[in-house]
Amino acid sequence: MSPRPLAAAPMTRRGFLAAGVLGGAALVACSRSTTGNAPGAAGAPDAIAAAEAARPHTGKTVTAQLNPGTADIDLGGTRARTLAYNNQVPGPLIRANVGDEIAVSVNNGLDHATSMHWHGLAVRNDMDGASPATPDIAAGGDFTYRFSSPYPGTYWAHPHTGLDTDYGLYIPIIIDDPTDPIGYDAEWIVVLDDWTSGVGSSPEEIYQGLRPKGGSGQNPTSGMPGMPGMGGMGPMPGMGGMPGMGGMPGMGGMGSMSGTPGVGVAGTSDLLGGDGGDVNYPYYLINGRIPAAASTFTAKPGQRIRIRIINAGADTAFRVALAGHRMTVTHTDGFPVVPTDVDAVLLGMGERYDVIVTAGDGVFPLVASAEGKNAVARAMLSTATGSAPDAAFRPPELTQLVGTVDTFTATPQVQLPTNADLALQARLSGTMMHYDWAINGRPYDQTVPLTIQQGQHATLTFANATMMWHPMHLHGHTFQVIKPDGSPGPRKDTVIVKPMQTLTVRLVADNPGIWMLHCHNAYHMGAGMMTTLNYTG
Ligand SMILES: [Cu+2]
């Protein structure tokens, strides 16, 4: 497709990107060269090539073409002009076996630079799709990512530039292990999202609404010259009567957040230990559909269905249950856990859970409750004729046994060693009032990278000194969560850290490069809650 101009607020969009995230990345690249990292260390091509040679290789290549651009998307009777891959939301599935070469050509039809980050896949660093390890793709440019995955599982991909993931720019990725015995009859990929693009405020408007007015923050984007309409934005046309937009607790008294619809503290969530999120969205989607026009997955009664659940949201944790069913959790973030039965699972942004259900006889809503936001997304499982309950229906399973990170344990085969050579620290700070989210006291444009040497075993401790929860994500590695009692938890690449919680994970330095470590809340990340883990020596 040919590049087309953005429909809404192109000046605002470019202004944000130039002043905020992209500017921050450039500053970090600059400071790195002056802070004494050994030459040829962090991004050493030889070490990256050697790590790639050590991965399994089948000799087979799987190709895909992704065309990010503007698109008119039908969310189910509601249309949104947004950004999407190949004119669809979610974008097309990429599926390969462990060790296949995956060659993805990206033809950038956006009006700004983009990138593709292969979330959760332990790929070679120079194909990770996050600057500075991998250069961004200029507007109108193209690039082919080539990588292989050493591990099977449920993954996804999205840009690592600006707030693009809060548009429709995301795809599911499944890596199969052909030697795995198939323990299920059918497979259902369920992608969750919080949606505003084209129907409510733009992500850039939301971000500006969250930032303090007057530019007193550490990474100010307000008050920039040549950015009309950035302050005191009035209500958007057509926003009245949107679900979830009115009467939110915490909307009053937050002077910096008035004026932008959808922006404000959401309600609270017991599971998340406080506020659910920062943004109340007009819609919550499963596989690109609003609840009133939910997609339907058809199966036969008694079939064992593997449901692969992916949270592609920007600011929303979802609690997911299938009405009338228990679910057996088999994998967290692609890695196997001791199979455990629950009634529902909790997913922060970026997390994936694989569950098995044995299908009943009838029509059953799969409901994803947006934590603290009093709204749901849903899809339908149909194995017989029947009618569905109304679109706001909340199955009782949502309030029964809910699986969280503490519920699960990695299978012995994938547990990481318990010895550690070094202890890494990531102190999370910031407040809603100042919107100054940071790691180790610094926003990303002033960050001091964490360092590790290849082969080292490390603990990484997240100390959350904020009143918000943060889904913390490390690129290029899957870590071993340690439970509060010291016992092994699940393997994950994204983990929920609750307000004031200290949580430790273990990791093995087996993938050399420069790796992003950040909060997967798109707005916290944009404000600076990001650093890097650099290989040295
Ligand atoms: Cu965060």
Side-chain angles (χ1 to χ4, degrees):
M1 66 184 292
S2 57
R4 283 182 286 170
L6 276 171
M11 282 304 292
T12 299
R13 174 171 192 76
R14 272 187 216 102
F16 168 78
L17 289 167
V21 173
L22 293 184
L27 278 171
V28 163
C30 205
S31 68
R32 176 169 294 109
S33 65
T34 60
T35 50
N37 284 337
D46 290 355
I48 291 168
E52 179 63 16
R55 290 185 176 88
H57 292 284
T58 63
K60 188 170 165 253
T61 299
V62 172
T63 61
Q65 175 76 45
L66 292 177
N67 301 321
T70 51
D72 281 304
I73 301 295
D74 181 6
L75 304 175
T78 296
R79 298 195 74 89
R81 186 156 179 85
T82 185
L83 309 179
Y85 295 114
N86 304 11
N87 293 305
Q88 63 185 90
V89 175
L93 170 69
I94 293 177
R95 181 159 215 151
N97 285 335
V98 167
D100 288 349
E101 181 183 63
I102 301 171
V104 187
S105 297
V106 178
N107 191 345
N108 184 8
L110 304 171
D111 72 348
H112 55 274
T114 193
S115 54
M116 285 298 289
H117 168 58
W118 317 99
H119 183 119
L121 292 165
V123 304
R124 56 184 303 156
N125 185 239
D126 52 5
M127 292 290 157
D128 183 53
S131 176
T134 318
D136 292 338
I137 308 168
D142 55 70
F143 182 76
T144 300
Y145 295 88
R146 293 181 184 276
F147 56 88
S148 64
S149 173
Y151 305 113
T154 302
Y155 303 98
W156 65 301
H158 58 81
H160 221 274
T161 32
L163 296 170
D164 280 0
T165 301
D166 208 7
Y167 291 81
L169 293 167
Y170 54 84
I171 67 168
I173 301 178
I174 308 299
I175 305 295
D176 292 306
D177 176 358
T179 69
D180 234 16
I182 301 295
Y184 50 94
D185 306 307
E187 182 193 76
W188 187 10
I189 299 171
V190 169
V191 186
L192 314 172
D193 194 16
D194 42 20
W195 192 273
T196 185
S197 168
V199 297
S201 303
S202 74
E204 284 73 24
E205 289 163 351
I206 290 172
Y207 182 78
Q208 289 303 326
L210 290 163
R211 298 285 298 181
K213 299 290 184 283
S216 61
Q218 289 175 291
N219 186 17
T221 60
S222 55
M224 297 291 293
M227 297 173 70
M230 295 304 281
M233 206 165 289
M236 303 294 289
M239 289 302 287
M242 285 289 191
M245 298 304 271
M248 280 87 67
M251 284 299 283
M254 305 292 281
S256 67
M257 292 165 208
S258 59
T260 304
V263 172
V265 180
T268 58
S269 159
D270 289 346
L271 289 178
L272 296 171
D275 292 331
D278 302 350
V279 182
N280 283 285
Y281 285 79
Y283 293 114
Y284 299 88
L285 311 181
I286 291 182
N287 293 344
R289 306 287 287 184
I290 63 174
S295 63
T296 297
F297 184 80
T298 303
K300 295 189 176 68
Q303 280 190 320
R304 283 165 55 84
I305 304 171
R306 180 177 190 166
I307 311 178
R308 298 178 183 263
I309 309 167
I310 301 166
N311 185 351
D315 177 70
T316 304
F318 289 98
R319 186 191 309 208
V320 183
L322 178 61
H325 294 73
R326 292 208 99 193
M327 41 179 68
T328 304
V329 175
T330 62
H331 297 75
T332 57
D333 294 357
F335 278 71
V337 294
V338 176
T340 305
D341 289 353
V342 295
D343 297 299
V345 287
L346 175 72
L347 293 90
M349 297 78 81
E351 290 192 282
R352 295 87 62 210
Y353 277 80
D354 290 20
V355 306
I356 300 266
V357 300
T358 301
D361 194 339
V363 175
F364 307 96
L366 177 83
V367 175
S369 173
E371 283 296 301
K373 300 185 179 185
N374 195 29
V376 298
R378 82 167 177 181
M380 307 301 299
L381 169 64
S382 173
T383 66
T385 54
S387 57
D390 76 73
F393 173 72
R394 306 172 72 92
E397 286 80 3
L398 285 171
T399 54
Q400 295 170 8
L401 178 59
V402 184
T404 67
V405 64
D406 291 339
T407 310
F408 305 104
T409 302
T411 59
Q413 296 78 14
V414 301
Q415 287 186 18
L416 292 179
T418 56
N419 64 315
D421 306 309
L422 83 162
L424 301 168
Q425 305 286 335
R427 181 177 178 276
L428 314 179
S429 63
T431 63
M432 281 300 292
M433 185 60 73
H434 298 291
Y435 223 71
D436 52 352
W437 308 110
I439 296 178
N440 292 333
R442 293 166 178 267
Y444 181 59
D445 60 6
Q446 299 162 31
T447 199
V448 176
L450 302 176
T451 59
I452 198 168
Q453 293 179 20
Q454 181 149 12
Q456 282 188 318
H457 296 181
T459 57
L460 169 58
T461 298
F462 299 104
N464 186 351
T466 82
M467 299 310 292
M468 290 291 299
W469 70 282
H470 304 283
M472 297 306 297
H473 173 51
L474 174 63
H475 290 204
H477 304 74
T478 297
F479 46 70
Q480 165 87 57
V481 175
I482 303 173
K483 292 184 183 178
D485 66 1
S487 66
R491 286 284 296 273
K492 296 194 97 310
D493 52 66
T494 311
V495 66
I496 290 172
V497 186
K498 291 189 283 195
M500 304 308 288
Q501 183 185 12
T502 296
L503 184 146
T504 298
V505 304
R506 301 182 196 284
L507 65 98
V508 172
D510 60 359
N511 198 8
I514 300 170
W515 299 103
M516 312 310 292
L517 172 66
H518 63 90
C519 176
H520 220 283
N521 182 308
Y523 298 93
H524 295 186
M525 177 179 159
M529 193 174 253
M530 178 158 69
T531 187
T532 61
L533 175 63
N534 293 2
Y535 281 56
T536 61

